[in-house]
Structures are given as structure tokens and as C-alpha cells.
Amino acid sequence: MKVFLYNTMSRAVEEFVPIKPGFVGMYGCGPTVYNYAHIGNLRTYIFEDTLKRVLTHAGYKVKHVMNITDVGHLTGDGDDGEDKLEKSARETGRSVWDIAKFYTDAFFRDYDSLNIIRPTIVCPATQHIKQMIELIQRLEAGGHTYIAGGNVYFSIDTFPEYGKLARLNLDELKSGARIDVDSNKRNPKDFVLWFTNSKFGEQAMMWDSPWGRGYPGWHIECSAMSMYYLGEHFDIHCGGIDAIPVHHTNEIAQSEAATGKKWVNYWMHGEFLLSDKGKMSKSSGEFLTLSVLKDHGFDPLDYRYFCLGANYRTQLQFSYQGMEAARTARLGLVDRIASLGDEVSKADSVGDAAKGYMEQFDSFVCNDLGTPRALSVLWGVLKDDAVSNADKRYVVNYMDSVLGLKLSEVKAKKDEPLDCPAQVMELVGKRAQAKKDKDWALADTYRNQIDALGYVVKDTPAGPVVSKKM
Ligand code: AMP
Ligand code: ZN
């Protein structure tokens, strides 16, 4: 099965060709664990999960690596401000280590409840300081660094391709650059690889290094850990769209300057979730978490459905109305699937009509993760009377391995044995016959007679179901 993906580097949809046949090395930037993840962050992880599921569905073995940023992410992207974890520790009176553990655990609770498959490797930055120091040493040996004011900087002028992902115009940037707060920088776009000199004094998290006791800059962790686990050239790097101009741009500069060769083949970015006030963001302090959605009575999978209903490359406006529509749709799917019975066709006995739906589904998801259209194919097969219930069950399982909505776990509805008088059953039978004959008036007459006897009849895809009136 061929997979086509939008590559931010080329700004085009390209056929995915792995470096090693049958295998995908994939890195996604993980959370900064100084606060709860908001549902915008979670949208990005749902997109990455869908990518991984599609590649697995297409027959690849995927090695997925994700970092946990538990040090080095400053409140400003231009190396200004305070370390986000240190700030949170100072404000709450807890230790940085406690904060990192608390929010990492909370993050994975959300991750699991959204049915996101855990990465193959989860790597906290604080456990990979050695790899970061080694990479900085390599950059130093290659002449890509300088020391100023006690910090080690990456010099972007030593990497002519700087800014290629974001297509930055460096001359324009230089001429329009504000006077940078960090006067140590030779070029305003240079960035810190290692801090020994923090304006916030003694940090809780510091390590010895060849340049003195200190802590790493934010960007170096992703280069060091991805190369450590996936090698110096790997297939896919992903993250949120906000990472393109600084974080991923700097990751590329460090990695390719160190190795002297191309680092990543495909760059993929998920678009923002928007709130009423624009991009949902952690630093603004105004954001929605999954717990808030649960408090409003939503299942986390309603949010997953909500996200799958939009293409990952388009902005998605959050609204409770949209969430309600997603919940109704998801429960509608569950209800239909529960009415199908337990039987699941064997792969070699699935009929052509069902196969047609699976092929359509594949063509959509393999075309740059077209989940909205894939969902409509799922609805299509469930509504199609020409497909048997057992085949529908098979198709649902097939599609759910990509959608991750736990539809394959839906149990068949077992109608309660009802002590129903023979007279009622006879009327139900007659009504069914009248409907078959399209004699709607007669069908309504029988329904009224059933009603008068204290019973209701409901039509389901599996046939009429009778219950006692409440
Ligand atoms: P952070 O924990 O802040 O480092 O962010 C984790 C991930 O969420 C990153 O890949 C961000 O690019 C992404 N992200 C941040 N805000 C949003 C948003 N409003 N919508 C979608 N993704 C986001
Ligand atoms: Zn990163």
C-alpha cells in the first residue's frame, strides 16, 4: 500500500519512501511538562498517532520516539525568559522533579484515554544530558559554536542552509531585526546550546560540562535524542506548526551542521486548535484540558472524533457545539455497530461490496491522512444494506485500527428477553409486513395498537425491537 504525505520541507504531497524497506523511524516533539497539556497540544498528538497508525496499517514497522521536555524550555523562544519548569517550581513551592513527574503522569493519562498508542521510546531530556554534551562538542569541533557571556552559542552563519524549512529570508530578518535582548549574540538568530550563565542565578537543574556547570538550551535535546535512538538520518520528524520557524529550524541547523548530511526526509506539522481568542496556548494560561471536557460530560473519544473530522493541516475551531455533534456521531456509530451482532467475517470470506469500502478507506487515509473522508466511508458501509452484518463488523475492525475510536471493542446489543404477549408479537409482525408493502398508514395503525397494549416498537438496523412503555 503506497502512502502519500505532505512534506513541509518541499511544501508538497510526496510518496513516502522509507530509508529502510518496511521500517519507519519517526520522531515527534513531546510535551513541556510544567503544566497540563491543553486540548490543542493533544490535537497534535492525535495527528501523530493517526500518522503512526496509517503507516502501520500500510505494513510498516514504526519506531516512534518522543521526548519529554523537562529542562531547558525558556518562556521566550529567543533564549530569553526563565526555564518553564523552574518558574513553575518557584511559583508553586514544589521541586522541579516533582513538577516534571506530576505533569508527565497527567500527560500520559490523557494520552491513554484518547487511545493514542504510546511511543516506542519516551525519552526525558534530563536523562540524556550526556548525548547533548557530545553533540555540542561535535559542533564545537566543526567550528559552529562560540562562547560569549559564559554561554555556548550556535552560529547560524556557519550553516548556509539555515532557515530552509521555514523558508526564512535571512537578509530581511537581519535588516528588520530588533535589538536582541541577548547582546552576546553575533547574529540575532543564533541560539544557545549550553547555558552556564543564567540571569536567574542558581538553577535546581544543573550539570557539569566542558563549558562549566549549567544546563542545555531547548533545541539541542531533540537533535541529540532523535539521532541517539533513530540514527543520523531518519524518515519522519513531526510536531505542531508553531515549531517550524524556530525550534525545528534550529534542530535542523544543529543536526546537519554536526553530521554534514541530510538529517530527516519528511517533515510533518499539525495545524492549530483555535479557541475563541485564537491559538490555544499554555503560556497564556487560558486553555482547556481533557478533564474540563470530561466535566462537561464528554468522553475523551468524542474529542478524538472531533479531531478526526478535520484534516490535520487545517486550523480547527473548538466549540462545545462541535463537540456535541462529534459525540452524537460517535455514539451513533457505536449504536449501529452494537446492532450488528457478534459475528465477524473471516478475511477470505469478505464480500466485494465490503472490500470496495476498505479500498476507498485506504485511498483516503493513505492520501495525507484524509480522516474526514475516511469517516464518511465508515458511515457509508454501516448504512449499506447490501453488506452483511458480519462483513460490516470486519470492515469496522479494519478501519478502527487507523481511527482508534475503540469501535472494534463495541459489544453486540443483547436484547433482554421480554415477556411479550403473543398478541403484541403478532402486531409487530403485521406492522413489519405493512412497512415492507410500503403501506405506512396501516403500519401506523399497528404501531398505535401496540402502544395501546403498553409496548413500544423501535426500528433498528437489525430489525424491530420491542420494549415495555416506561
Ligand atoms: P508544548 O508542550 O508546549 O511543548 O507543546 C506540545 C505540542 O503541542 C507541540 O508540538 C506544539 O507545537 C503543539 N501545540 C501547541 N499549541 C497548539 C495548538 N493550539 N494546537 C495544536 N497544537 C499545538
Ligand atoms: Zn523538538
Side-chain angles (χ1 to χ4, degrees):
M1 209 184 286
K2 282 186 178 178
V3 178
F4 295 83
L5 302 172
Y6 182 84
N7 189 347
T8 309
M9 188 62 89
S10 64
R11 306 290 196 270
V13 175
E14 297 175 18
E15 182 181 343
F16 174 71
V17 181
I19 294 169
K20 194 169 132 197
F23 176 85
V24 181
M26 161 177 158
Y27 184 87
C29 296
T32 309
V33 284
Y34 68 103
N35 204 336
Y36 293 106
H38 60 63
I39 56 173
N41 302 134
L42 296 172
R43 181 186 185 201
T44 294
Y45 300 111
I46 291 171
F47 139 60
E48 291 171 5
D49 186 52
T50 308
L51 170 63
K52 178 161 74 174
R53 284 171 180 267
V54 166
L55 291 165
T56 307
H57 182 73
Y60 291 103
K61 188 169 166 29
V62 182
K63 182 173 178 185
H64 173 203
V65 179
M66 182 177 79
N67 64 309
I68 300 286
T69 299
D70 50 1
V71 66
H73 195 172
L74 303 190
T75 49
D77 261 355
D79 294 328
D80 48 335
E82 193 177 357
D83 183 293
K84 290 183 177 184
L85 270 108
E86 299 269 353
K87 180 168 180 273
S88 178
R90 190 170 45 71
E91 286 168 356
T92 59
R94 290 150 74 192
S95 82
V96 274
W97 306 102
D98 274 357
I99 288 176
K101 177 163 184 353
F102 180 86
Y103 289 115
T104 304
D105 291 348
F107 174 77
F108 280 114
R109 273 198 300 279
D110 287 351
Y111 211 79
D112 293 343
S113 64
L114 287 164
N115 200 26
I116 299 176
I117 299 168
R118 293 247 187 155
T120 322
I121 292 169
V122 174
C123 40
T126 50
Q127 287 173 29
H128 296 78
I129 302 295
K130 179 173 170 281
Q131 285 77 21
M132 294 184 221
I133 290 176
E134 282 168 4
L135 186 58
I136 300 170
Q137 283 179 310
R138 211 165 149 190
L139 288 169
E140 194 172 38
H144 297 286
T145 66
Y146 60 94
I147 296 177
N151 299 329
V152 183
Y153 290 85
F154 182 90
S155 166
I156 69 155
D157 295 322
T158 67
F159 182 67
E161 292 181 21
Y162 184 84
K164 63 182 171 179
L165 180 71
R167 303 199 173 170
L168 300 178
N169 182 332
L170 294 180
D171 293 335
E172 245 173 49
L173 282 171
K174 245 186 187 169
S175 57
R178 64 195 163 98
I179 309 298
D180 202 85
V181 283
D182 187 347
S183 56
N184 295 318
K185 290 184 183 180
R186 293 179 188 166
N187 182 316
K189 287 276 164 192
D190 288 350
F191 54 93
V192 178
L193 297 167
W194 189 265
F195 289 95
T196 60
N197 197 5
S198 161
K199 58 175 175 276
F200 293 96
E202 272 297 291
Q203 299 248 139
M205 291 197 272
M206 301 237 270
W207 293 264
D208 289 330
S209 84
W211 313 281
R213 199 164 164 73
Y215 59 99
W218 172 37
H219 315 294
I220 194 74
E221 65 174 87
C222 289
S223 295
M225 292 190 282
S226 62
M227 289 202 271
Y228 181 64
Y229 289 109
L230 294 170
E232 292 184 358
H233 181 210
F234 60 89
D235 299 292
I236 304 176
H237 192 314
C238 34
I241 197 155
D242 53 341
I244 297 172
V246 180
H247 183 52
H248 288 169
T249 288
N250 291 352
E251 282 188 37
I252 293 171
Q254 298 160 151
S255 307
E256 299 194 353
T259 64
K261 60 185 187 208
K262 186 176 181 183
W263 181 39
V264 167
N265 280 355
Y266 301 86
W267 283 90
M268 295 187 66
H269 295 95
E271 252 291 359
F272 287 145
L273 180 80
L274 305 179
S275 68
D276 295 345
K277 298 189 179 90
K279 181 208 164 198
M280 194 170 286
S281 83
K282 256 189 237 183
S283 46
S284 73
E286 278 181 26
F287 59 80
L288 281 172
T289 61
L290 205 56
S291 306
V292 173
L293 296 191
K294 284 197 247 175
D295 292 344
H296 277 75
F298 292 107
D299 187 301
L301 294 177
D302 296 334
Y303 183 62
R304 187 172 177 110
Y305 191 101
F306 177 75
C307 291
L308 295 178
N311 189 282
Y312 77 95
R313 282 201 290 124
T314 57
Q315 295 191 333
L316 177 59
Q317 178 73 49
F318 177 82
S319 72
Y320 279 108
Q321 215 180 354
M323 278 298 294
E324 267 156 32
R327 172 171 55 196
T328 305
R330 191 184 67 81
L331 292 179
L333 282 179
V334 168
D335 201 47
R336 277 177 184 270
I337 294 163
S339 308
L340 296 175
D342 276 329
E343 201 193 328
V344 187
S345 298
K346 298 261 178 307
D348 55 5
S349 68
V350 174
D352 286 343
K355 278 187 194 151
Y357 283 104
M358 292 192 286
E359 278 164 21
Q360 240 188 328
F361 178 88
D362 289 345
S363 73
F364 288 143
V365 292
C366 292
N367 182 10
D368 198 30
L369 323 182
T371 51
R373 297 176 89 181
L375 279 175
S376 70
V377 180
L378 172 59
W379 277 101
V381 68
L382 287 172
K383 287 180 180 171
D384 188 345
D385 293 338
V387 180
S388 73
N389 284 357
D391 274 10
K392 285 181 182 172
R393 273 275 186 188
Y394 182 90
V395 175
V396 165
N397 294 352
Y398 182 87
M399 295 182 182
D400 197 47
S401 70
V402 173
L403 301 171
L405 290 165
K406 294 197 177 175
L407 299 175
S408 51
E409 295 173 23
V410 175
K411 297 266 176 303
K413 245 188 242 164
K414 298 267 180 278
D415 292 326
E416 295 283 302
L418 187 69
D419 189 13
C420 191
Q423 194 189 357
V424 173
M425 288 317 292
E426 197 187 324
L427 287 167
V428 170
K430 283 181 170 170
R431 178 178 167 271
Q433 187 56 48
K435 282 186 70 181
K436 224 175 179 178
D437 299 342
K438 297 196 170 26
D439 188 344
W440 311 116
L442 187 62
D444 281 347
T445 307
Y446 289 129
R447 181 194 278 282
N448 292 340
Q449 290 176 11
I450 295 165
D451 184 81
L453 290 168
Y455 290 83
V456 274
V457 57
K458 195 176 146 210
D459 295 313
T460 74
V465 175
V466 191
S467 55
K468 263 205 166 111
K469 268 207 303 201
M470 297 299 240

